[in-house]
Amino acid sequence: MQAAENNIGQLVVRRHVRAQRERVWRKQDLDPLHHGNWQEQEAWINRKDWTPKDVLELFYDHDVIDCIAENTIRNARQHGNHYFTVTADEIRVHLAILYTSGYVQLPR
């Protein structure tokens, strides 16, 4: 590593500059991430009867929802609210409302 210096007024800022590695690009296909019959999966993905609940459960299974509920309670207790409780079903309802309403908090 080399040290680079920038003089800003009377302030001297030193930072380390890493040597750039030369990348070697190869012209080849990537290894397939999935091994198996893609046509079976395609039929599963292209189902027409998806409900919002089905889509939500693709991303948030029972273990993830339980983990969110446990950590929400833990966070509330760490901030002094020892009587706060929330169930996994309440977390599911909250996420479903957020997804179906399209709620997005934007910076002001």
Side-chain angles (χ1 to χ4, degrees), residues 45-61:
I45 290 174
N46 290 330
R47 281 184 12 198
K48 302 294 183 203
D49 59 343
W50 287 103
T51 65
K53 181 180 181 268
D54 293 335
V55 175
L56 185 67
E57 287 179 350
L58 282 175
F59 299 100
Y60 296 103
D61 62 355

Side-chain angles (χ1 to χ4, degrees), residues 8 10 32-33 36 40 42 45 53 73 77-78 98 104:
I8 303 172
Q10 295 181 2
L33 298 176
E40 290 175 9
E42 188 174 314
I45 290 174
K53 181 180 181 268
I73 294 169
R77 291 193 177 138
Q78 288 174 351
L98 290 178
V104 178

Side-chain angles (χ1 to χ4, degrees), residues 57-71 88 91-92 95:
E57 287 179 350
L58 282 175
F59 299 100
Y60 296 103
D61 62 355
H62 295 289
D63 295 334
V64 172
I65 297 290
D66 290 338
C67 180
I68 291 172
E70 290 172 14
N71 285 304
I91 295 291
R92 277 189 199 88
L95 289 173

Side-chain angles (χ1 to χ4, degrees), residues 10 13 15 20 27 30 43 49 51 60 70-71 76 80-81 87 89-90 95 101 103:
Q10 295 181 2
V13 178
R15 60 186 169 91
Q20 291 289 327
K27 197 168 194 172
L30 296 174
D49 59 343
T51 65
Y60 296 103
E70 290 172 14
N71 285 304
N81 190 349
T87 64
D89 288 334
E90 292 171 339
L95 289 173
S101 67
Y103 177 78

Side-chain angles (χ1 to χ4, degrees), residues 11-47:
L11 177 66
V12 176
V13 178
R14 294 174 189 222
R15 60 186 169 91
H16 293 285
V17 179
R18 293 184 185 201
Q20 291 289 327
R21 276 191 328 196
E22 184 174 333
R23 298 190 189 271
V24 178
W25 298 98
R26 296 183 202 133
K27 197 168 194 172
Q28 67 184 34
D29 291 335
L30 296 174
D31 292 332
L33 298 176
H34 179 269
H35 303 288
N37 188 353
W38 176 248
Q39 291 175 347
E40 290 175 9
Q41 284 197 354
E42 188 174 314
W44 176 78
I45 290 174
N46 290 330
R47 281 184 12 198

